[in-house]
Amino acid sequence: MSDLDTKERIQPGTAPGEDVAFEIHGDGDFPTADMSLSIGPAHPATHGVFRIVLEMDGERVREARPVIGYMHRGFEKLAEYRDYRQIKALVNRHDWLSGFSNELGVALAVEKMMEMEVPDRAQWIRMLIAEWNRILNHLMFIGSYAIELGAITPMFYAFREREDIQHLLESATGGRLHFTYNQPGGLKIDLPKGFLRESQRLSTVVRERLPDYFDLVLGNEIFQGRTKGIGPLPSDVALSIGVTGPTLQATGVAEDPRVTEPYLKYGEIDVPVPVGENGDSFDRFSCLLRRIQASLDIIDQVHDHVPPGPVNSKLPKMVKAPEGATYVRTENPLGQLGYWLESDGGRTPWRLKMRTPSFSNVQAIPYLMEGVLLPDAISILGSVFFVVGDIDR
Amino acid sequence: MTAISSGATTYIAQSVSLFDGFDGFVLPLVLKIAFVLQLFFVVPLVGGYLEHKAMGRMQHRRGPVEAGPFGVLQLVADGIKFIQKEDVIPRAADRWVFAAAPGVAMVPALLVFLVIPLGPGVFALDLELGLFYALAITSVSVLGVLMGGWASANKFSLIGGLRAGAQLIAYELPLILAAITVAVQAGTLSLVGIVEAQAGFMIPGTGINVWFVFPQIVGFGIFFISAMAELSRPPFDMPIGDSELVFGYMTEYTGIKYAMYMLTEYAGMITMSALMVVLYLGGWQLLPGVPMPGCEGAGGLFDCSPIGIALSVLVTLGKIMALVFVMVWARVAYPRLREDQLQRMSWLVLVPLSLLNLAVITVFKVVF
Amino acid sequence: MAATSPPGTGLLKGLGVTIKHLFQRPATLMYPYERNELAPRTRGVIALMDENCTVCMLCSRECPDWCIYIESHKETVPPAKEGGRARTRNVLDRFAIDFSLCMYCGICVEVCPFDALWWSPEFEYSEYSIDSLLHEKEKLRAWADTVPAPPPLDDGAVLPAEVADAIEKAEKERELAEAKAAEEAQAKESGAAGGAATPAAAAKEPEVEVKAGEIDQETFDQLIAEGKSERIARSKAKAAWVKKEKARLKAEAEQGGGDAAAPAAAPKPAEVHVEAGQIDQETYDQLIAEGKTERMARAKAKAAYVKKEKARLRAEAEQAAPSGESAAPEAEAPAKKQLSEVHVEGTGEIDQEVFDQLIAEGKSERIARSKAKAAWIKKRKQEQLDQEGGA
Ligand code: SF4
Ligand code: SF4
């Protein structure tokens, strides 16, 4: 990390949006003018249409302003006009890398409102698939973060693993990204024969391949040079901003609804929550990588628990949540996902408010990027882990 | 040109270019141009194919497979594609500078091939100042990069171009210092002369012949890193840095102009590898102290039969490709450094190290 | 700062990991030369078994994208029994799914109460123009031939009660049917000498064989010759068969009417109505015996039932029409027609002898099968000629 003394030169008090493009800095000898640089909406590092306006002094970022909304698809409003079955297909598309976890949230909310008993078998299978989904998601970010730092190879390895896992999940759910496997009261259909055996096998395979990522990325001195000490996020700031998931855990806060407020059967098994120390990019990434290990541990435990029995309970002809409201939070791969479901007793929700992890995570960007160099800004951008659809919804 | 060649001939009796055997001025000239051009267009393609394939396999993929047997024609196909593409010039761009920049970058890369010796007599020119010429002309390429970055009227291009400039300044110094050390040890600036000097270099006090890489392993490392940085090869590709700068100075380029930049990069890889082979790895020698079959002369390197010449060219190319492979390997394995880390590494590590290296070798040379 | 220290172990490890992979077999699957085996549950394309569709519109209403287009008209069905009430039913005119809008959520397949919609793992239907992604009824029907059997469930799964019952029942029925088949075979042997009995049996037997998945051999062979893939050829040939069959039946019906000099009656017999919902037990048993799952067997059996019933009604109507007009020639006319029906409908049958022989000669299974089919038809014709001569 290079010297931060120039940070003092940054004049506070320039409001976002204020035109500072030609403000002259420096004293006499080598005055510099600011340049405002738009990262995005179509930039390789933003994985979609996300935009950050950087006010730059040379290569140093004076101010970063995320501009969101390019991908707003009106999910919350749409959900008011879709019945619960259709919502399931809708929500697994706002964070397209965690389809199963999203639909799980909605299913849990509806079940909570209808006071439905979910068979044990369904709950364990849900956990199994949710953890596989988490691994899928994390692998994607491991690959893409490495790409952002210029290492192209981890992406290919990550996709190799992803392909195998997707193939496994496809055999049960029929989908590779958008699983639509949940339904209020359980699952759509039971697992096919041999799924659990295959899942066990795959968990050993992925576990064997994980050291490659540690060696190739985490242990690499250049990677450490690029991430250690970059964008440190103190835990109090993180909590005040509302950052969750690996980004929060990297700051040393072991907050995870699977442990602090267990849903499904997470309370019955041991859920490891890896935490970091400084909350810098390195910690965020290492948390992500260790969360894969944690998920594999959970998967291995689940394999021993799946009981025989039914996977769904009898549903009324039309699923209608009774009048009232509820809030359900789950640990999505990227952080805490919350659904506030309010119903007037009809066949569609009266209101479905989403609290998506990516939206909260990117709120930390202006804080983190102030005064860093442009390459570090990218290193930070990649390490707060967001999916654009999940920000804009 | 003939005058210079004949000057060189007198300097090192054995080093006569193949093309000087013809009478007159025009024919050798045409042959030389043809020689350089075919080197420029064929060898980089081979290097590029090697990069694609090796990179693919290391990433658990197959690399190109469809174009030609084993995908060998992939880069040719790419070239054809680039030619067909629309040539877009941004409205705000400085048209002429924008258009000229890829050429300015490419021509020096092409000119370096003039002095690269591939085998005994297989070179276009043997300049007395060959090493100096090669190093001087490679650094002209960056002008094209700067021009492209500036003329694109794009902030990302501009930052990319400036980074390239800064990088060049930082790494030119250790590169030249490392090369000078070799020249000091060989006692000549002629590339052919350096090869010959390596054939005759013994570990002091023994009769064991070694290449310059042995006493100068540090210098070799410095030269290798600096060469990669100067070519903006990953992990030193900050001027391009696609996740930061979109594509750096190449952001606005399309079609054939973009292809020219790419060709420059591959050609640069080849020339830098060739220089390393000549400076450190004994040129076209098979193994230290082993005379090339079909050759006589000093160290069994010169006065070759056609078979000997062909063999030595193959040996040189093999060594070049091995070095290219290492560059690709580094690209596959490493993330990108940050610009300031790069500068720091140059000024605080490589420059002092290469000065030390120069001093040690010079003392060594004087003592023995 | 890592960059300032001499390359450390981390850098070397990175080189190690990458070089290790250089010597491993690449993970790439060389599509389209190699194909991944897709799970039976894969949501690739939606197939429609239009015979089963009752135009209830549930799928269309539940689709979140409203990308299913259904058009239908109402028709009055004459009373099934003498003195019964005439009923109305919906006839499907158009069923189209716009795959450029579809989000592959599977709700339509989930809600269809009549097993008319299925998922098939086929996915290679990309098009150059977005309009071509609108698959009409025929195309959707063709996909139905690619629907795989659903995978067996995990050992810990609880089968739905109805499925468990049905499997048990199917087992029993299969046993029964086997016993009956044995009896029949005996009866046939003993009655083979009787000239009158044979044609009836011959007429019956091929009808049993009627399957939804019959193909038009000509089309099939031609497409194969054109270099089309077997799968495509098969599905096209199936479609062609359905088309031809329909045309033939219609023509026959018209002819039947013409023979009897009753043009007014002609268009009628072609329009036969069959209430869906019943299954063809024979087909069902057979499919179950073949190891198909219950759901699949039921759907196919339903389709088979509808088809059979239609054929039966048509035949009846044809018979009925001439009998009303002229007395003397009618006895032969329908008989002839039935005979002609015998060999066409029986195209699925093969001559085992010829087949075995060709296989023994080293011919491929496909060729042997098609030749054996031809041989079978020839034989049948010969038989019938003999019988007619005998009669
Ligand atoms: S899969 Fe979903 S979107 Fe597609 S047609 Fe069926 S219901 Fe509509
Ligand atoms: S396909 Fe199924 S749901 Fe749709 S109209 Fe036909 S019977 Fe109804």
Side-chain angles (χ1 to χ4, degrees):
Chain A
M1 177 82 189
S2 81
D3 55 329
L4 274 170
D5 52 355
T6 32
K7 204 172 176 182
E8 293 150 20
R9 295 221 317 261
I10 295 163
Q11 292 144 13
T14 27
E18 191 177 315
D19 189 8
V20 287
F22 295 105
E23 201 173 315
I24 306 294
H25 306 283
D27 33 6
D29 290 347
F30 191 54
T32 53
D34 271 1
M35 170 170 87
S36 98
L37 187 67
S38 246
I39 303 276
H43 182 279
T46 59
H47 322 288
V49 277
F50 179 56
R51 181 173 166 216
I52 304 176
V53 181
L54 299 179
E55 301 296 345
M56 310 268 303
D57 176 11
E59 286 227 15
R60 198 164 284 281
V61 177
R62 282 170 30 79
E63 189 195 343
R65 268 177 290 137
V67 182
I68 65 173
Y70 285 88
M71 211 181 185
H72 179 59
R73 288 167 289 170
F75 272 125
E76 291 183 5
K77 199 68 194 166
L78 257 180
E80 292 168 21
Y81 296 91
R82 293 286 184 275
D83 65 31
Y84 292 101
R85 187 182 352 227
Q86 292 170 334
I87 286 176
K88 174 187 72 183
L90 200 64
V91 294
N92 65 26
R93 283 158 167 83
H94 61 79
D95 174 358
W96 49 73
L97 291 175
S98 347
F100 189 83
S101 314
N102 299 344
E103 57 186 71
L104 180 62
V106 169
L108 288 175
V110 177
E111 283 154 13
K112 200 168 159 193
M113 299 253 309
M114 296 177 73
E115 289 168 1
M116 221 183 265
E117 275 294 316
V118 181
D120 280 0
R121 183 178 171 82
Q123 301 206 22
W124 285 105
I125 295 177
R126 277 178 176 182
M127 269 164 67
L128 182 64
I129 303 212
E131 293 307 319
W132 274 123
N133 193 195
R134 192 182 315 276
I135 294 175
L136 270 184
N137 176 301
H138 288 353
L139 280 172
M140 179 78 206
F141 278 97
I142 282 168
S144 71
Y145 187 50
I147 287 232
E148 258 143 50
L149 296 182
I152 36 183
T153 308
M155 188 69 152
F156 290 99
Y157 295 168
F159 265 76
R160 176 190 61 193
E161 264 79 278
R162 271 176 63 87
E163 183 62 35
D164 290 348
I165 299 172
Q166 280 179 325
H167 199 66
L168 172 75
L169 295 189
E170 191 176 24
S171 75
T173 66
R176 294 164 63 84
L177 279 179
H178 304 308
F179 303 109
T180 51
Y181 191 45
N182 275 301
Q183 70 182 25
L187 298 167
K188 215 151 77 172
I189 186 170
D190 210 312
L191 298 175
K193 213 186 188 85
F195 181 91
L196 291 175
R197 207 177 338 110
E198 183 62 18
S199 162
Q200 239 149 7
R201 190 192 66 82
L202 202 56
S203 112
T204 33
V205 168
V206 175
R207 208 183 273 280
E208 274 164 19
R209 285 175 182 170
L210 266 187
D212 280 3
Y213 299 100
F214 282 95
D215 289 348
L216 190 61
V217 191
L218 205 65
N220 187 304
E221 276 92 351
I222 300 179
F223 177 82
Q224 292 173 356
R226 283 297 307 275
T227 53
K228 275 205 171 144
I230 304 300
L233 186 65
S235 53
D236 53 335
V237 178
L239 287 172
S240 73
I241 292 177
V243 165
T244 50
T247 317
L248 175 67
Q249 284 154 12
T251 66
V253 182
E255 160 64 23
D256 188 328
R258 288 177 298 173
V259 177
T260 48
E261 197 180 285
Y263 52 101
L264 295 179
K265 296 282 180 190
Y266 280 115
E268 294 180 22
I269 54 171
D270 173 34
V271 180
V273 181
V275 291
E277 283 169 23
N278 314 317
D280 54 9
S281 290
F282 181 80
D283 276 355
R284 286 190 280 269
F285 185 82
S286 100
C287 264
L288 197 75
L289 205 47
R290 283 180 290 142
R291 269 165 70 107
I292 295 187
Q293 266 174 340
S295 284
L296 286 173
D297 290 347
I298 297 176
I299 286 172
D300 287 348
Q301 293 178 55
V302 171
H303 284 145
D304 306 333
H305 275 96
V306 182
V311 289
N312 40 30
S313 37
K314 210 155 170 55
L315 283 181
K317 199 152 181 240
M318 178 53 75
V319 177
K320 283 182 185 160
E323 215 174 312
T326 190
Y327 182 76
V328 164
R329 66 179 182 135
T330 57
E331 176 75 3
N332 250 34
L334 299 180
Q336 285 182 27
L337 173 77
Y339 285 120
W340 169 258
L341 175 64
E342 199 163 346
S343 169
D344 58 1
R347 52 195 286 256
T348 65
W350 184 79
R351 175 91 168 93
L352 183 72
K353 169 83 181 87
M354 300 168 181
R355 185 264 181 227
T356 51
S358 306
F359 180 80
S360 304
N361 287 359
V362 297
Q363 308 308 322
I365 285 179
Y367 174 85
L368 291 175
M369 282 193 186
E370 198 180 303
V372 301
L373 291 172
L374 177 61
D376 290 341
I378 302 298
S379 156
I380 291 168
L381 183 66
S383 69
V384 292
F385 307 128
F386 59 86
V387 165
V388 180
D390 205 29
I391 302 172
D392 294 346
R393 307 198 285 263
Chain B
M1 263 191 207
T2 8
I4 302 172
S5 323
S6 53
T9 318
T10 51
Y11 183 72
I12 299 165
Q14 293 93 341
S15 59
V16 179
S17 170
L18 287 182
F19 312 115
D20 294 337
F22 301 97
D23 290 333
F25 175 74
V26 177
L27 189 60
L29 188 68
V30 169
L31 281 176
K32 280 172 185 176
I33 291 174
F35 173 74
V36 167
L37 281 181
Q38 69 91 13
L39 263 192
F40 182 72
F41 284 110
V42 176
V43 183
L45 287 193
V46 177
Y49 172 69
L50 181 76
E51 166 161 39
H52 279 42
K53 206 70 186 173
M55 215 159 86
R57 290 304 297 261
M58 285 200 239
Q59 295 171 342
H60 231 194
R61 306 182 278 124
R62 284 179 200 237
V65 283
E66 295 285 352
F70 303 108
V72 284
L73 298 179
Q74 186 59 50
L75 284 167
V76 179
D78 284 350
I80 294 170
K81 183 190 76 180
F82 281 131
I83 291 169
Q84 290 169 339
K85 282 201 166 181
E86 188 190 355
D87 187 19
V88 181
I89 299 182
R91 198 179 325 156
D94 192 335
R95 291 187 72 84
W96 295 111
V97 181
F98 184 83
V104 174
M106 192 174 84
V107 169
L110 194 142
L111 289 179
V112 186
F113 279 97
L114 266 181
V115 293
I116 302 284
L118 290 183
V122 189
F123 47 80
L125 277 178
D126 179 29
L127 293 181
E128 221 168 303
L129 291 173
L131 182 57
F132 176 78
Y133 167 84
L135 291 177
I137 208 145
T138 43
S139 43
V140 177
S141 273
V142 81
L143 255 188
V145 170
L146 266 176
M147 281 164 69
W150 177 258
S152 295
N154 179 321
K155 290 170 186 169
F156 292 112
S157 301
L158 182 60
I159 297 178
L162 291 178
R163 278 186 182 184
Q167 204 161 316
L168 182 96
I169 294 167
Y171 280 83
E172 198 67 11
L173 200 53
L175 188 83
I176 289 175
L177 283 173
I180 285 177
T181 319
V182 173
V184 166
Q185 193 165 10
T188 171
L189 280 174
S190 153
L191 293 174
V192 178
I194 290 173
V195 173
E196 195 200 9
Q198 294 190 56
F201 177 74
M202 309 289 170
I203 298 179
T206 65
I208 305 170
N209 175 224
V210 286
W211 294 334
F212 283 170
V213 67
F214 182 75
Q216 299 211 21
I217 184 74
V218 177
F220 178 67
I222 294 171
F223 195 96
F224 194 90
I225 292 175
S226 310
M228 293 233 292
E230 199 168 319
L231 294 169
S232 355
R233 290 284 307 169
F236 306 108
D237 59 338
M238 303 83 192
I240 300 171
D242 55 324
S243 58
E244 300 158 22
L245 300 181
V246 187
F247 222 64
Y249 57 89
M250 290 195 262
T251 305
E252 297 290 354
Y253 281 94
T254 59
I256 190 73
K257 289 187 191 135
Y258 173 78
M260 280 161 83
Y261 270 131
M262 289 311 279
L263 194 59
T264 309
E265 184 185 332
Y266 285 124
M269 259 162 83
I270 301 294
T271 48
M272 279 299 176
S273 303
L275 277 181
M276 278 184 266
V277 168
V278 169
L279 294 182
Y280 297 99
L281 298 177
W284 57 90
Q285 299 173 69
L286 204 52
L287 283 171
V290 180
M292 178 67 69
C295 294
E296 287 158 31
L301 279 189
F302 303 97
D303 304 335
C304 289
S305 64
I307 293 179
I309 292 178
L311 254 179
S312 14
V313 171
L314 281 182
V315 168
T316 317
L317 286 179
K319 286 180 185 172
I320 290 177
M321 289 308 156
L323 285 176
V324 169
F325 175 79
V326 177
M327 289 188 184
V328 172
W329 194 6
R331 174 178 183 190
V332 170
Y334 297 144
R336 183 183 308 123
L337 282 162
R338 208 170 51 209
E339 187 63 28
D340 64 314
Q341 289 169 341
L342 177 91
Q343 296 287 341
R344 221 170 266 243
M345 183 164 113
S346 168
W347 296 111
L348 299 184
V349 182
L350 294 186
V351 172
L353 214 59
S354 52
L355 281 172
L356 192 70
N357 185 42
L358 177 62
V360 169
I361 295 290
T362 317
V363 170
F364 176 85
K365 172 96 179 164
V366 171
V367 171
F368 296 98
Chain C
M1 171 99 58
T4 55
S5 62
T9 45
L11 297 180
L12 290 180
K13 269 186 186 166
L15 291 179
V17 170
T18 42
I19 202 76
K20 184 179 82 190
H21 282 90
L22 181 68
F23 299 109
Q24 286 176 358
R25 224 181 93 78
T28 319
L29 185 79
M30 294 303 288
Y31 180 86
Y33 312 117
E34 293 167 29
R35 274 152 204 274
N36 211 343
E37 204 174 302
L38 290 170
R41 283 186 190 170
T42 302
R43 298 200 294 269
V45 71
I46 299 168
L48 167 77
M49 292 200 178
D50 56 350
E51 302 94 324
N52 292 358
C53 177
T54 59
V55 203
C56 70
M57 304 293 271
L58 264 182
C59 53
S60 169
R61 246 186 301 147
E62 277 289 320
C63 172
D65 299 351
W66 299 324
C67 65
I68 303 182
Y69 310 117
I70 301 181
E71 282 164 24
S72 67
H73 65 269
K74 274 203 167 28
E75 254 176 19
T76 316
V77 191
K81 273 185 269 163
E82 199 76 44
R85 241 176 348 111
R87 288 183 295 171
T88 55
R89 64 183 288 277
N90 290 318
V91 179
L92 187 63
D93 294 326
R94 175 172 188 238
F95 192 107
I97 296 181
D98 191 343
F99 284 107
S100 60
L101 290 179
C102 174
M103 60 181 202
Y104 298 85
C105 64
I107 288 178
C108 51
V109 177
E110 220 177 299
V111 298
C112 177
F114 300 100
D115 288 345
L117 291 176
W118 298 80
W119 276 115
S120 156
E122 297 294 317
F123 57 92
E124 294 154 308
Y125 50 94
S126 40
E127 301 275 1
Y128 285 106
S129 131
I130 200 163
D131 328 327
S132 324
L133 281 173
L134 183 70
H135 288 196
E136 293 289 346
K137 195 165 76 181
E138 288 69 32
K139 209 162 177 187
L140 292 172
R141 181 65 185 81
W143 290 123
D145 299 326
T146 64
V147 175
L153 292 184
D154 188 70
D155 293 334
V158 172
L159 289 175
E162 65 210 59
V163 176
D165 283 356
I167 287 179
E168 204 176 305
K169 212 164 92 191
E171 287 290 303
K172 258 189 226 148
E173 271 164 6
R174 192 169 61 208
E175 277 164 29
L176 262 178
E178 266 162 21
K180 215 163 84 186
E183 250 170 55
E184 254 172 31
Q186 266 184 348
K188 215 175 7 204
E189 261 167 42
S190 60
T198 326
K204 261 268 168 77
E205 192 192 311
E207 205 142 11
V208 174
E209 286 300 316
V210 173
K211 263 194 244 169
E214 202 108 2
I215 66 165
D216 184 35
Q217 199 58 38
E218 234 174 85
T219 315
F220 182 75
D221 290 349
Q222 188 190 340
L223 286 165
I224 289 284
E226 279 173 18
K228 292 276 193 289
S229 84
E230 209 245 322
R231 197 176 55 71
I232 292 182
R234 183 167 302 276
S235 65
K236 287 213 169 155
K238 272 182 195 170
W241 184 80
V242 171
K243 214 171 182 179
K244 252 194 200 164
E245 197 65 355
K246 272 189 191 155
R248 193 183 55 76
L249 285 175
K250 216 173 186 174
E252 260 173 30
E254 269 161 24
Q255 208 187 341
D259 273 358
K268 262 271 160 81
E271 288 172 24
V272 192
H273 298 296
V274 183
E275 212 50 55
Q278 217 140 336
I279 67 162
D280 183 33
Q281 200 56 42
E282 259 166 77
T283 313
Y284 181 78
D285 290 348
Q286 188 191 342
L287 285 167
I288 289 284
E290 278 173 17
K292 295 276 195 285
T293 69
E294 204 261 328
R295 189 161 120 94
M296 170 81 84
R298 182 168 302 275
K300 288 216 169 154
K302 267 187 200 168
Y305 169 80
V306 172
K307 207 179 223 165
K308 233 191 218 174
E309 202 64 355
K310 272 187 190 162
R312 193 179 55 78
L313 288 176
R314 228 174 256 135
E316 265 173 25
E318 275 160 18
Q319 236 163 0
S323 68
E325 299 295 318
S326 52
E330 110 271 43
E332 242 183 59
K336 252 186 203 159
K337 239 167 279 148
Q338 274 200 351
L339 292 182
S340 70
E341 214 171 293
V342 167
H343 64 211
V344 179
E345 294 231 13
T347 41
E349 196 83 351
I350 65 165
D351 186 353
Q352 200 57 40
E353 238 174 79
V354 178
F355 183 75
D356 290 350
Q357 187 189 341
L358 284 166
I359 290 286
E361 279 172 19
K363 292 275 193 289
S364 84
E365 208 245 321
R366 197 171 60 71
I367 291 180
R369 184 170 301 276
S370 67
K371 290 215 167 155
K373 271 183 196 167
W376 186 84
I377 291 169
K378 219 173 182 177
K379 236 191 203 166
R380 265 307 109 110
K381 273 189 187 159
Q382 192 57 46
E383 260 172 37
Q384 275 151 24
L385 272 183
D386 291 352
Q387 278 155 15
E388 265 167 44

